[in-house]
Amino acid sequence: MMIVPDETRVDVRRLQDIAASLGVLFDDHAQHFEGLYGYTPELGDFEAARWLGDVVTGRRDTVLAHVAYLRRTLAEIHAALGQIADEFDETDAANAAAVAYVEDPSPR
């Protein structure tokens, strides 16, 4: 048995707030990641140090790749939520205008 709600509600302002918070999520932590971009380990010039430097560099590059992917994903979610909120708002305004016209069809 499927339960159907009597009405559908969307809190457009809440969607906009969530979109905004996702939009700035990385801004709060960007400085930490930016420091990794220029980091090159200087561990010495012997075999174990070079090996460890390669491992650290590889891990750094992996973390930065994940950061870039997450940043793009959050940007896409931010844009999509903003678009959804705008579309709900426009639909709500159009529906309100249609209901107002039905209630009072006299020219304005």
Side-chain angles (χ1 to χ4, degrees):
M1 178 174 150
M2 186 161 96
I3 299 174
V4 179
D6 293 334
E7 59 185 67
T8 301
R9 292 181 190 208
V10 175
D11 187 345
V12 173
R13 184 70 211 144
R14 182 71 179 132
L15 279 177
Q16 292 167 336
D17 290 345
I18 291 169
S21 67
L22 287 175
V24 298
L25 181 63
F26 257 85
D27 294 343
D28 294 342
H29 303 286
Q31 65 186 3
H32 303 293
F33 298 121
E34 295 302 322
L36 286 176
Y37 281 104
Y39 177 74
T40 303
E42 300 291 336
L43 304 174
D45 191 21
F46 53 97
E47 187 176 343
R50 287 189 297 273
W51 171 82
L52 185 57
D54 289 344
V55 170
V56 170
T57 299
R59 298 299 188 270
R60 176 205 63 201
D61 293 346
T62 300
V63 167
L64 291 175
H66 284 290
V67 167
Y69 178 75
L70 187 55
R71 184 175 281 158
R72 281 191 312 271
T73 301
L74 288 174
E76 290 171 8
I77 293 170
H78 167 77
L81 283 177
Q83 181 179 350
I84 290 167
D86 290 345
E87 288 175 7
F88 269 115
D89 205 25
E90 291 168 8
T91 300
D92 191 39
N95 289 343
V99 168
Y101 177 78
V102 169
E103 290 176 356
D104 181 19
S106 62
R108 296 182 184 194

